[in-house]
């Protein structure tokens, strides 16, 4: 079994191989050994190589092996640790960021937590802008790492006060600052070439399908390219929440959603309680994705799945992870019994206590969980 390099050496390898394509990256990543497998070089060396776990209840109910990358076990608590490390290390190496400078970003929260952690580890400062309707736990975590948080009202990306545009302005107005730009910065998807390699290694090449939601699009792009480079027959499915246009982009080639119709949009930016996935524009990262098909998911399905995983597995996950598991069940039904379906547990439930895991909030939204037992009838 091959040894894997640290995320630090992986980041340098990806950049070194940029001109030669992903194949050289894969060769480097799968042949470089750790200097010491027992001692890690600080918190950043804990990022990646997360366990792949079998979700027994979903597997037994669908007849497929449903496996999930436990990305909430990254040190910053989410899949976004990989992206933050990749963005910052590439910028440092290329001279676009210098030690002690400030990193800015607009985010719903998880990328902000990860960037704040990476910045603290590398002696940089960090300023995060996030919508004021995102879970407050994320803002508190960002501040705990020493970063600043500005919360703004949720508006369209074309509005100058969208979190991304505010963060971009801050970087422009601050000498030496780096705007992380997770949506358009392709370091995002490059980080997940390694995620795909890990999945291939952990399944010993037996994976039949990968399922993921998309916000920036980096995860599904990197993993899909990595897996399909190994086996073009691996199916890649998008699971898309309410209010997002990506479902129609995959199915019909058009970025459109019913909620975008005049008079139909109920909330900005999306009519959903699911945070971290769903978008109404085509990002550079999603443009790299190799997606075969797409499913729609609902808030009801995500809430019920989160409670299902708690009840049957003791797994406490966030809203996007719950939606991913909904997608995994839908993929299993399409493929039929006997297949291996892999998805991601993007983050844990602890950063969603004020909303997605708040019974009072869910009741107010008409989404209080109702299902019991191990049946999957709540997945449409």
């Amino acid at each position: 079994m091959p040894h894997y390099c640290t995320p630090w050496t992986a980041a340098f390898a990806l950049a070194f191989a940029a001109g030669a394509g992903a194949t050289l990256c894969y060769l480097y990543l799968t042949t470089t050994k750790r200097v010491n497998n027992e001692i890690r070089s600080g918190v950043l060396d804990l990022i990646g190589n997360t366990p792949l776990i079998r979700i027994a209840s979903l597997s037994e109910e669908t007849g497929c092996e449903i496996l999930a990358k436990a990305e909430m076990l990254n040190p910053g608590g989410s899949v976004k640790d990989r992206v933050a490390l990749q963005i910052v290390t590439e910028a440092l190496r290329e001279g676009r960021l210098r030690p002690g400078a400030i990193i800015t970003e607009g985010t719903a929260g998880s990328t902000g937590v990860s960037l704040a952690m990476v910045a603290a580890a590398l002696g940089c400062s960090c300023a995060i802008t996030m919508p004021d309707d995102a879970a407050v736990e994320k803002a508190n975590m960002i501040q705990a790492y020493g970063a600043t948080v500005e919360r703004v009202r949720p508006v369209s990306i074309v509005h100058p006060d969208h979190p991304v545009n505010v963060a971009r302005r801050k970087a422009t107005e601050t000498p030496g600052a780096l705007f992380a730009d997770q949506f358009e910065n392709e370091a995002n998807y490059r980080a997940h070439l390694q995620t795909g390699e890990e999945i291939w290694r952990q399944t010993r090449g037996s994976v039949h399908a990968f399922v993921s939601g998309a916000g920036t699009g980096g995860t599904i792009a990197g993993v899909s390219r990595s897996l399909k480079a190994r086996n073009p027959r691996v199916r890649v499915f998008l699971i898309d929440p309410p209010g997002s246009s990506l479902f129609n982009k995959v199915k019909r080639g058009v970025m459109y959603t019913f909620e975008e119709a005049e008079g139909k949009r109920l909330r900005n930016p999306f009519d959903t309680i699911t945070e971290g996935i769903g978008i109404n524009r085509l990002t550079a990262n999603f443009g790299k994705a190799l997606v075969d098909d797409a499913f729609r998911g609902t808030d009801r399905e995500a809430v019920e799945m989160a409670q299902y995983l708690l009840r049957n597995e003791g797994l406490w996950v966030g809203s996007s992870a719950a939606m991913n598991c909904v997608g995994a069940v839908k993929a299993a039904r399409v493929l039929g019994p006997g297949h291996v379906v892999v998805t991601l547990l993007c983050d844990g439930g602890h950063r969603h206590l004020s909303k997605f895991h708040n019974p009072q909030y869910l009741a107010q939204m008409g989404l209080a969980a109702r299902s019991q037992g191990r049946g999957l009838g709540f997945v449409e």
Side-chain angles (χ1 to χ4, degrees):
M1 183 176 293
H3 293 276
Y4 281 72
C5 57
T6 66
W8 278 103
T9 52
F12 283 101
L14 285 167
F16 174 78
T23 301
L24 287 179
C25 297
Y26 294 151
L27 289 173
Y28 189 99
L29 291 169
T30 55
T31 57
T32 304
K33 297 182 179 180
R34 284 188 184 275
V35 173
N36 187 322
N37 283 320
E38 300 301 324
I39 300 174
R40 302 299 178 93
S41 301
V43 69
L44 301 184
D45 206 15
L46 297 173
I47 297 173
N49 288 303
T50 54
L52 187 65
I53 62 175
R54 180 178 187 263
I55 304 182
S57 54
L58 297 184
S59 298
E60 291 159 11
E61 290 296 315
T62 61
C64 287
E65 286 294 290
I66 295 186
L67 311 176
K69 284 283 277 177
E71 291 297 299
M72 70 280 204
L73 297 183
N74 281 305
S78 84
V79 67
K80 294 298 186 177
D81 285 8
R82 297 176 184 263
V83 176
L85 180 62
Q86 190 76 25
I87 288 173
V88 173
T89 52
E90 286 192 13
L92 283 168
R93 189 191 53 257
E94 295 166 6
R96 293 181 288 110
L97 175 69
R98 297 190 180 280
I102 189 170
I103 303 163
T104 73
E105 183 60 297
T107 167
S110 286
T111 304
V113 175
S114 298
L115 281 170
M117 179 191 70
V118 171
L122 296 176
C124 293
S125 57
C126 188
I128 299 299
T129 308
M130 58 188 296
D132 61 12
D133 64 347
V136 69
E137 292 85 356
K138 298 176 185 178
N140 292 342
M141 292 173 70
I142 292 167
Q143 290 171 323
Y145 277 113
T148 63
V149 176
E150 180 181 359
R151 305 199 73 176
V152 299
R153 63 191 179 98
V155 292
S156 168
I157 186 63
V158 300
H159 195 286
D161 291 335
H162 186 281
V164 169
N165 297 328
V166 173
R168 183 185 289 108
R169 265 199 316 276
K170 284 181 182 178
T172 301
E173 296 166 357
T174 307
L178 172 73
F179 172 47
D181 198 14
Q182 61 169 330
F183 290 90
E184 307 303 329
N185 188 338
E186 292 181 9
N188 185 338
Y189 102 87
R190 287 193 289 273
H192 289 294
L193 295 172
Q194 173 70 359
T195 312
E197 281 296 301
E198 291 172 23
I199 290 170
W200 183 262
R201 172 177 58 85
Q202 289 167 322
T203 61
R204 299 184 180 181
S206 67
V207 56
H208 297 110
F210 175 73
V211 185
S212 178
T216 64
T219 301
I220 200 166
V223 174
S224 66
R225 284 188 167 270
S226 182
L227 292 178
K228 284 181 176 289
R230 292 288 194 173
N231 179 3
R233 291 176 295 179
V234 173
R235 301 286 303 281
V236 175
F237 296 94
L238 169 77
I239 178 72
D240 212 29
S244 176
S245 300
L246 295 179
F247 173 86
N248 279 325
K249 178 62 178 176
V250 173
K251 300 289 280 189
R252 302 180 179 91
V254 178
M255 290 289 287
Y256 174 80
T257 185
F258 175 75
E259 287 84 358
E260 288 293 297
E262 185 176 356
K264 298 296 184 183
R265 171 174 277 186
L266 302 182
R267 291 201 318 120
N268 284 314
F270 312 118
D271 186 28
T272 180
I273 67 166
T274 305
E275 294 184 5
I277 57 174
I279 195 169
N280 286 313
R281 68 184 191 276
L282 185 62
T283 68
N285 283 288
F286 189 80
K288 296 287 187 180
L290 304 175
V291 182
D292 298 296
D293 207 347
F295 306 114
R296 279 197 174 102
T298 66
D299 284 346
R300 165 64 58 189
E301 289 173 309
V303 168
E304 297 288 359
M305 180 59 77
Q307 294 303 308
Y308 180 98
L309 294 174
L310 268 172
R311 183 170 66 247
N312 293 299
E313 301 288 339
L315 278 173
W316 191 28
V317 302
S319 56
S320 55
M323 190 68 85
N324 278 355
C325 290
V326 169
V329 170
K330 295 188 179 200
R333 289 174 176 172
V334 167
L335 296 174
H339 292 86
V340 176
V341 179
V342 178
T343 191
L344 268 66
L345 303 180
C346 313
D347 65 4
H350 63 282
R351 63 182 69 188
H352 297 271
L353 278 169
S354 63
K355 296 184 68 177
F356 187 71
H357 282 290
N358 182 338
Q360 290 74 34
Y361 175 80
L362 293 177
Q364 179 184 345
M365 300 294 289
L367 291 170
R370 299 188 295 254
S371 298
Q372 299 294 324
R374 292 169 66 91
L376 293 170
F378 61 87
V379 179
E380 299 173 3

